[in-house]
Amino acid sequence: MTTSAKNGKPRRADRPPRVSSEILDSAPPSDVQAERQLLASIMLDPTRLDEVSTLIRRDSFHDGRHGILWNHFENMPAEAASDSTLLIRWLTSAGDLEACGGVKFIAEIAQAEYTAANARHYAGIVAELAARRAIRRRAEGLIQLAQNPTVPIADLRAELAATGEIPSVGEPPAFAKMLSSAELVALDTRPKFLIQNVLVEGMPAIIGGKSKAMKTSIMLDMAVSLGSGRPFLNSFTVAEKMPVAVWSGESGEATIRAKAISIAESKGVFLQDTPTFWNFALPKLSRDDHLDIMGGIITKNRIAVSFVDPLYLALLNAQTASQAGNLFAMGNALEGLSRLSQELKTTIVLLHHFRKTPADTDEPCSLEMLSQSGVGEWARGWILLQRQNPFTGDGKHELLMRTGSSVGFGGLYSVAVDEGVMGEDFTGRKWEVSVSNAGDFREIAKQREQFRRDEHKKKREAENLEADRQEIATAAVKLNRPESKTGLRELVACGHTRFNRAFASLVADGTFQEAEIEKPNGQKYPAWGLREEQ
């Protein structure tokens, strides 16, 4: 417990003191003298403008006159800023001389004794106080909303989440830190594989596919492989054993647990011995507070790779779902996740579904098949999955897996998985997987299509043969006596080729037996009739 300075009574240490009316009524924090010092520094040496322009904007000044003058500094020639006469002429022609305080005000700044070398110091003071005023304005607005009983709590929370970042002070934003060509060449940008030819350190990635393409199962193999240091899908080398986090919100604890244990056993490891962390509630990736919590978990547990399954449940809410097709809105929603990955130097992998089926195409699946705008543009690496045969529920799967990254590697693989079938006693699951190079996908697709056509032709011919057999046999039953082959053919509608094939089949299997008939001219001819039952 701590003691209140006002009345000496104890108060909770974790509860901040009440904001008094004196604080709310006080003037916003400012330092007009520092603002003038900054302006005078620029007038003394206009080249200092580039040094501080990333920290200061027109609205950084508490005194409006200073903001107007600063705006002109950013747009006028350097010689006009450093010469009082030229400066006054510039402001007069722009119609802003009086708005800037007039000739007397300009003269006071120009005649003051300041040091241009301290421009960055003055700019820091001005920027910090501007940030404090901005935070105060936001706080006052939230207080007013909180005091209004007609404002729904959901709207209040949304307003709180939408207040944005606190304005930075001191260091310029990242986009202002330019590199020279020499510095660019000196950068070590060689990619480091976490999984050889599949996953690169620090690059956000997508595991994509349609329903039943085994996205979650492949993700679990990847998570267990990274957590154990064993090869991914028994084929792709893992750099080393590393901590992994899995946020799964769709399959459920029982399914994830059973599959993860089976996969670990197939690799010869115990799942409980891997540094893998699990959660079955999804964060909202567009919320800064949720990203902060994720960042804390990643930092505390030194997570190298984080999986989020699936993206559509983790990213959008009821209010933002209608923006799924808006590239700019989706890019903004994913920006915080990219920043988290960059700041913590961690790899984030999202599971996402296709908006259309890639089956029966002459091309392997691609990023363009991912649903929702901006997801394919966000991903720097990808593992895209499509089935090579329909899902039948027998536990056997043949997949086509396409891997790639913006750094240039890529591959196309055939993945065969046998995960068994769960019995009534909830056993029988396994994880047997093999990977081979898929070669030329177009040739594979052509061969598969020809196979389908051949199978369809065989099925159609078998159906026609059975129909023709039935027609010939029915005609023989109605005739109720042996008849020549020519006579039988005249009784049915099928053509000569189909009749000959069906007739030969009836003779071959013994349905028809040979007999003899005598024509009116006394000649005898071979005939055929249905075999009599013994």
Side-chain angles (χ1 to χ4, degrees):
M1 302 291 285
T2 57
T3 302
S4 171
K6 184 175 181 180
N7 53 27
K9 293 182 179 180
R11 62 176 176 84
R12 290 178 58 89
D14 58 349
R15 180 181 299 163
R18 291 178 59 84
V19 179
S20 66
S21 58
E22 291 83 358
I23 293 177
L24 294 174
D25 292 338
S26 64
S30 63
D31 189 335
V32 176
Q33 189 62 24
E35 294 181 4
R36 290 196 177 193
Q37 289 171 330
L38 174 59
L39 295 172
S41 299
I42 301 304
M43 292 178 67
L44 286 170
D45 184 0
T47 63
R48 299 286 179 178
L49 185 64
D50 292 337
E51 182 181 342
V52 300
S53 60
T54 57
L55 301 177
I56 301 298
R57 302 188 303 268
R58 174 174 176 171
D59 59 2
S60 300
F61 295 90
H62 180 64
D63 190 319
R65 298 173 299 176
H66 299 164
I68 297 173
L69 184 56
W70 181 265
N71 190 55
H72 283 287
F73 279 168
E74 291 186 316
N75 294 283
M76 67 173 58
E79 59 271 19
S82 61
D83 186 301
S84 298
T85 301
L86 294 178
L87 176 58
I88 291 172
R89 288 180 179 176
W90 175 281
L91 295 173
T92 300
S93 64
D96 278 343
L97 179 59
E98 294 305 319
C100 288
V103 175
K104 180 180 179 182
F105 178 76
I106 300 299
E108 288 176 356
I109 296 178
Q111 293 171 6
E113 295 182 1
Y114 299 123
T115 303
N118 290 332
R120 188 173 183 83
H121 172 71
Y122 302 143
I125 297 174
V126 173
E128 178 178 340
L129 292 172
R132 291 181 178 275
R133 290 195 299 274
I135 295 169
R136 172 174 169 145
R137 285 194 299 272
R138 293 173 185 175
E140 290 173 345
L142 287 171
I143 290 173
Q144 290 177 352
L145 288 175
Q147 291 294 107
N148 187 344
T150 64
V151 176
I153 189 63
D155 292 351
L156 184 58
R157 286 177 176 149
E159 186 67 24
L160 178 62
T163 53
E165 297 180 349
I166 296 174
S168 58
V169 178
E171 286 297 321
F175 71 83
K177 300 176 182 179
M178 304 299 292
L179 294 175
S180 67
S181 294
E183 290 171 327
L184 178 63
V185 172
L187 288 177
D188 183 3
T189 58
R190 291 172 296 180
K192 176 185 176 182
F193 279 113
L194 299 180
I195 301 177
Q196 190 69 30
N197 293 330
V198 175
L199 191 66
V200 176
E201 182 181 42
M203 286 193 173
I206 285 284
I207 297 177
K210 61 170 292 188
S211 176
K212 302 302 182 183
M214 301 194 76
K215 298 184 293 296
T216 299
S217 297
I218 297 299
M219 176 269 288
L220 290 175
D221 190 296
M222 186 177 292
V224 174
S225 297
L226 291 166
S228 64
R230 301 300 174 89
F232 169 53
L233 297 178
N234 299 334
S235 301
F236 301 93
T237 303
V238 172
E240 59 184 342
K241 182 177 180 179
M242 63 192 71
V244 176
V246 176
W247 279 275
S248 177
E250 196 169 44
S251 299
E253 298 178 24
T255 300
I256 294 295
R257 176 183 179 275
K259 285 190 175 183
I261 291 175
S262 295
I263 291 170
E265 289 177 348
S266 75
K267 298 178 185 296
V269 298
F270 294 106
L271 183 63
Q272 59 267 32
D273 294 337
T274 66
T276 311
F277 300 86
W278 309 85
N279 195 299
F280 299 97
L282 293 175
K284 282 299 179 185
L285 302 179
S286 58
R287 286 184 52 171
D288 288 340
D289 56 336
H290 282 210
L291 290 179
D292 289 342
I293 294 172
M294 276 187 68
I297 294 171
I298 291 171
T299 301
K300 176 183 177 182
N301 298 290
R302 299 181 180 179
I303 301 297
V305 182
S306 299
F307 296 91
V308 180
D309 174 24
L311 174 61
Y312 79 94
L313 288 180
L315 185 63
L316 302 177
N317 53 36
Q319 288 72 39
T320 59
S322 61
Q323 298 179 323
N326 187 317
L327 178 63
F328 299 102
M330 290 293 292
N332 184 64
L334 289 165
E335 182 183 7
L337 197 62
S338 298
R339 186 171 60 252
L340 178 68
S341 176
Q342 294 167 3
E343 291 176 353
L344 299 183
K345 293 181 173 54
T346 189
T347 304
I348 296 175
V349 182
L350 305 178
L351 273 66
H352 198 40
H353 57 277
F354 287 149
R355 63 170 173 261
K356 62 180 180 180
T357 303
D360 301 326
T361 68
D362 292 334
E363 296 293 337
C365 47
S366 63
L367 291 173
E368 288 74 19
M369 295 175 179
L370 293 169
S371 68
Q372 302 178 0
S373 296
V375 178
E377 290 79 0
W378 173 85
R380 299 294 87 200
W382 48 88
I383 301 96
L384 305 177
L385 304 166
Q386 62 190 93
R387 300 190 66 90
Q388 296 192 68
N389 51 22
F391 176 77
T392 60
D394 61 357
K396 296 182 179 181
H397 313 270
E398 292 183 8
L399 308 174
L400 195 68
M401 181 176 75
R402 182 181 183 182
T403 66
S405 170
S406 59
V407 301
F409 72 86
L412 190 63
Y413 307 93
S414 290
V415 180
V417 178
D418 185 355
E419 59 177 353
V421 179
M422 183 177 292
E424 294 181 358
D425 58 352
F426 300 102
T427 62
R429 283 295 193 183
K430 57 184 178 178
W431 185 256
E432 297 176 357
V433 60
S434 61
V435 178
S436 60
N437 197 307
D440 189 336
F441 179 80
R442 291 181 178 85
E443 185 61 30
I444 294 173
K446 187 184 299 183
Q447 293 175 1
R448 189 187 306 126
E449 179 60 26
Q450 186 60 48
F451 176 78
R452 283 197 292 263
R453 289 178 179 175
D454 291 344
E455 289 298 306
H456 179 70
K457 181 179 179 180
K458 291 178 182 178
K459 180 180 179 181
R460 187 174 64 250
E461 288 178 347
E463 291 173 348
N464 290 340
L465 177 62
E466 184 59 28
D468 294 341
R469 282 169 51 92
Q470 290 291 336
E471 186 178 6
I472 296 172
T474 300
V477 170
K478 291 181 178 179
L479 192 60
N480 198 26
R481 61 177 173 78
E483 181 57 86
S484 67
K485 182 178 178 181
T486 301
L488 287 171
R489 187 173 61 234
E490 292 175 351
L491 297 175
V492 296
C494 58
H496 286 192
T497 300
R498 287 177 56 174
F499 173 84
N500 288 336
R501 185 181 297 114
F503 181 82
S505 172
L506 290 168
V507 172
D509 67 6
T511 302
F512 274 6
Q513 62 181 1
E514 191 173 3
E516 190 177 64
I517 59 173
E518 184 176 345
K519 294 291 184 178
N521 59 8
Q523 293 184 344
K524 294 182 178 180
Y525 295 91
W528 304 90
L530 293 173
R531 179 179 297 276
E532 297 180 1
E533 297 294 336
Q534 299 298 327

